[in-house]
Amino acid sequence: ELNGVERQSVMVPKGCAHAFLTTSDDTRVVYLSDAPYTPSAEIGVRFNDPVVSKFFDINAEVVSKKDSEWPSLKT
């Protein structure tokens, strides 16, 4: 768990799936990338996809339109 006090970070290896779950309304997420942003290269997994949701107890109140429309992993 990261917070704004301890000034910690997480390095996510290239090609590794990752997600952000914020627990307060005033959260700011800042990240660095090794390549320019390319929307056409994006892929994703819905947080509530049956394949992965059994591993996480997430009750998301707000999910972006883009993140809620990723296809199911079962297809």
Side-chain angles (χ1 to χ4, degrees):
E1 184 174 318
L2 303 176
N3 62 56
V5 177
E6 297 174 12
R7 302 179 63 89
Q8 295 175 325
S9 61
V10 173
M11 197 285 280
V12 179
K14 188 173 186 171
C16 186
H18 60 282
F20 302 102
L21 174 65
T22 62
T23 57
S24 65
D25 292 337
D26 63 344
T27 300
R28 185 182 318 174
V29 176
V30 179
Y31 57 94
L32 302 173
S33 175
D34 67 348
Y37 174 60
T38 309
S40 62
E42 286 187 333
I43 58 174
V45 176
R46 285 193 330 260
F47 80 98
N48 60 349
D49 188 288
V51 174
V52 294
S53 65
K54 62 185 172 187
F55 300 107
F56 306 101
D57 183 21
I58 298 172
N59 184 19
E61 294 177 15
V62 178
V63 177
S64 71
K65 182 177 186 324
K66 177 179 81 171
D67 289 339
S68 65
E69 292 179 344
W70 290 114
S72 173
L73 291 173
K74 287 189 173 188
T75 58

